[in-house]
Amino acid sequence: MNNVKTIPVQSTAELLAPGSIDAPTYSVKEKAALSEKIKRLLKEQDAVLVAHYYVDGEIQILAEETGGTVADSLEMARFGSQHPASTLVVAGVRFMGETAKILNPEKTVIMPTLEAECSLDISAPIDKFSAYCDQHPDRTVVVYANTSAAVKARADWVVTSSNAVAIVTHLHAQGEKILWAPDKHLGRYIEQQTGADMLIWDGACVVHEAFKADALENLKKHNPQAAVLVHPESPEDVIAQADVVGSTTRLIKAVTELPNKQFIVATDNGIFHKMKSMAGDKQLIEAPTAGVGATCESCAHCPWMAMNSLRNLADTLEQMKNEIVIDEDIRIKAIQPLERMLSFK
Ligand code: 13P
Ligand code: SF4
């Protein structure tokens, strides 16, 4: 066990300044020049910037200043479909760009990098997943949005963390048994919330899986007034300590709506940018990724979200490169479970 890194719990309990989380280093001059260039190129290319809450704060600022959006994965999908721009620039991870393209085949969808994957997407390769579905033909296939276009094409429903419980509740009420992939923690959470009969794939998010329940318990003792906010991709024993469990949007709302002055947050620390901009008077504390059994490989920041930068965003727009292309047969199949999700009330 000599490779286990232990970090005192209290060291994670620091007040975080807006935009200071793992921000790429730019000189003030370079940042201003890149921002101006991106603003000009967005206009010239008839493009709109659609960003996730986990990307660099500077990209989030640009998205909002230029009429784009910063959102959770569900709202990113909705926004791209509703906006008239002919090009969508998706700052996030690959499945987000693919979802935008599946829903908007007539639009050009580009990303600052095509290398930004997601450990959940990677954990469910289409051949294995399809074979698993074939073994369970009696089950309704429900997949998380964090999957490839091909996996979505094999599914009956796509869900995000915003609507997973509501959709599975609806399916369960109709007597349907579920095959769920790929996130085992979210799957278990949905199963517990809905009572549905679920077969659960063995995938996990590298970021959320790293949160440690024992260390969190200790941190709560040091900060008894803090509300604990947890994304449901986290382990069961971390979710069990939550005051609020939900999507990124839900957790941001909790910071503005709850009366607490302190929050312990178990999700990617890119979210602090938005939380701080909406509730600058609140203290945000990162949930611990250190403690018993910790390796702290991700340290609460998604390595793939971190690949998005002002530099590669500017290059992508200038050269109109990194376009998402999806096989039309796959796209036509994948749009069905996605549209089912978007029209679910
Ligand atoms: P949200 O849908 O809550 O934005 O989550 C997406 C994600 O990748 C979380 O790790
Ligand atoms: Fe995937 Fe986790 Fe990164 Fe979200 S934070 S994109 S689930 S690896």
Side-chain angles (χ1 to χ4, degrees):
M1 298 298 281
N2 53 5
N3 61 343
V4 173
K5 219 199 299 180
T6 47
I7 299 169
V9 165
Q10 205 53 27
S11 75
T12 64
E14 55 187 320
L15 180 62
L16 296 156
S20 70
I21 316 299
D22 281 353
T25 44
Y26 309 105
S27 67
V28 175
K29 208 171 149 194
E30 186 189 6
K31 194 169 77 179
L34 283 168
S35 295
E36 283 318 305
K37 186 173 177 180
I38 291 165
K39 284 182 187 169
R40 172 176 59 77
L41 288 166
L42 283 168
K43 273 195 199 136
E44 283 174 14
Q45 310 284 21
D46 184 30
V48 67
L49 184 52
V50 186
H52 190 264
Y53 293 122
Y54 294 166
V55 298
D56 173 19
E58 297 298 335
I59 297 180
Q60 297 187 42
I61 290 169
L62 263 180
E64 289 183 334
E65 281 182 2
T66 56
T69 194
V70 185
D72 65 15
S73 58
L74 178 64
E75 290 313 315
M76 286 172 82
R78 280 198 213 283
F79 184 91
S81 299
Q82 288 160 1
H83 198 279
S86 60
T87 292
L88 304 176
V89 191
V90 179
V93 293
R94 178 86 185 217
F95 79 83
M96 294 168 175
E98 288 189 354
T99 298
K101 185 66 185 176
I102 293 165
L103 293 168
N104 303 284
E106 74 294 352
K107 296 190 183 191
T108 302
V109 177
I110 55 176
M111 299 187 73
T113 168
L114 293 178
E115 309 287 305
E117 300 198 54
C118 164
S119 62
L120 290 170
D121 185 346
I122 293 167
S123 78
I126 184 56
D127 47 347
K128 280 195 189 151
F129 178 69
S130 196
Y132 191 61
C133 294
D134 290 345
Q135 285 165 19
H136 302 284
D138 56 322
R139 289 185 177 260
T140 299
V141 178
V142 183
V143 301
Y144 197 27
N146 303 36
T147 45
S148 65
V151 164
K152 290 185 176 77
R154 188 66 177 78
D156 300 301
W157 286 83
V158 174
V159 301
T160 75
S161 55
S162 306
N163 53 28
V165 169
I167 289 176
V168 174
T169 298
H170 161 76
L171 296 174
H172 178 47
Q174 294 184 330
E176 293 181 37
K177 293 195 291 180
I178 309 295
L179 185 157
W180 163 262
D183 188 34
K184 63 181 173 189
H185 299 302
L186 178 57
R188 193 176 305 109
Y189 176 70
I190 299 166
E191 187 180 40
Q192 286 166 355
Q193 294 295 305
T194 64
D197 177 340
M198 292 176 67
L199 268 187
I200 298 175
W201 190 264
D202 189 19
C205 161
V206 290
V207 177
H208 293 87
E209 179 142 88
F211 291 117
K212 297 287 176 284
D214 288 348
L216 175 58
E217 216 176 304
N218 206 354
L219 184 60
K220 281 174 68 171
K221 280 188 200 138
H222 284 95
N223 299 279
Q225 307 302 326
V228 178
L229 311 180
V230 177
H231 196 282
E233 291 168 13
S234 306
E236 188 176 7
D237 50 6
V238 172
I239 291 180
Q241 299 183 53
D243 295 297
V244 177
V245 181
S247 69
T248 46
T249 299
R250 178 78 195 83
L251 302 186
I252 291 164
K253 273 201 183 129
V255 170
T256 59
E257 288 171 5
L258 293 181
N260 306 59
K261 288 283 170 214
Q262 279 187 322
F263 293 85
I264 299 172
V265 184
T267 194
D268 183 291
N269 60 25
I271 203 169
F272 286 104
H273 172 80
K274 190 65 173 174
M275 288 177 167
K276 274 285 169 190
S277 71
M278 293 186 70
D281 57 326
K282 309 258 174 133
Q283 187 189 12
L284 306 174
I285 302 166
E286 282 190 45
T289 52
V292 180
T295 54
C296 195
E297 281 172 7
S298 71
C299 298
H301 193 39
C302 177
W304 294 290
M305 290 282 184
M307 289 179 174
N308 294 271
S309 70
L310 289 181
R311 289 187 194 110
N312 58 15
L313 174 54
D315 285 353
T316 297
L317 267 165
E318 188 162 48
Q319 297 166 42
M320 286 299 280
K321 61 179 186 179
N322 299 339
E323 185 173 352
I324 296 284
V325 180
I326 295 176
D327 176 272
E328 188 59 7
D329 287 347
I330 290 179
R331 194 193 69 76
I332 287 169
K333 287 187 190 133
I335 199 170
Q336 293 171 25
L338 268 171
E339 285 191 334
R340 212 165 272 145
M341 169 182 82
L342 291 173
S343 44
F344 180 80
K345 298 263 182 277

